[in-house]
Amino acid sequence: MKNKKIIIGLAALVAVLVAVFGVVLIKNLPETQKGDKDILVTVVYENKSEKEFEISTDAEFLADALLEEKLIKEDEYKSGFYTYIDGVRADYNKDGAWWCVTKGGEMTNAGMNELPVADGDEFEITHTPS
């Protein structure tokens, strides 16, 4: 009987902690900006060459803006896992390469599908070897 009370108490504690964590997470999500905005996306390719894309969009998230510009594939957009950027593949299974997304040179805490865009934002998408 004592073990049962301990288990119930621990389960209740875990439930409270999950609820608190959920509230903190929701309150700390970045807010989106509605309306027209201009952003700059720089793609850095495997050979270190760069291409800048000036994008005017009303999208609230980076992936939506990139999809509008056809810089990402629609089937990858649905999954949120990107191997192709601007038609160039980063093949993790082949050589460990992947696309690293930064904002203003800083790592982001969200993937492109959850990364909000605001007017004047600058993003970098870099082909990153293993």
Side-chain angles (χ1 to χ4, degrees), residues 73-90:
K73 293 183 169 193
E74 190 165 351
D75 60 330
E76 292 187 345
Y77 170 81
K78 291 175 183 175
S79 72
F81 182 75
Y82 298 97
T83 57
Y84 285 91
I85 303 292
D86 190 28
V88 177
R89 185 170 188 204

Side-chain angles (χ1 to χ4, degrees), residues 18-30:
V18 167
V20 168
F21 178 74
V23 169
V24 169
L25 181 65
I26 289 171
K27 288 191 175 268
N28 288 316
L29 284 175

Side-chain angles (χ1 to χ4, degrees), residues 61-64 66 72 80 82 85 101 110-116 125:
F61 298 97
L62 180 59
D64 296 313
L66 297 177
I72 58 175
Y82 298 97
I85 303 292
V101 179
M112 291 192 294
N113 287 23
E114 298 85 25
L115 190 58
I125 305 174

Side-chain angles (χ1 to χ4, degrees), residues 97-129:
W98 57 287
W99 292 105
C100 177
V101 179
T102 54
K103 180 179 176 183
E106 300 290 327
M107 292 296 291
T108 63
N109 292 329
M112 291 192 294
N113 287 23
E114 298 85 25
L115 190 58
V117 295
D119 191 45
D121 279 349
E122 295 184 10
F123 298 93
E124 307 81 25
I125 305 174
T126 305
H127 185 279
T128 306

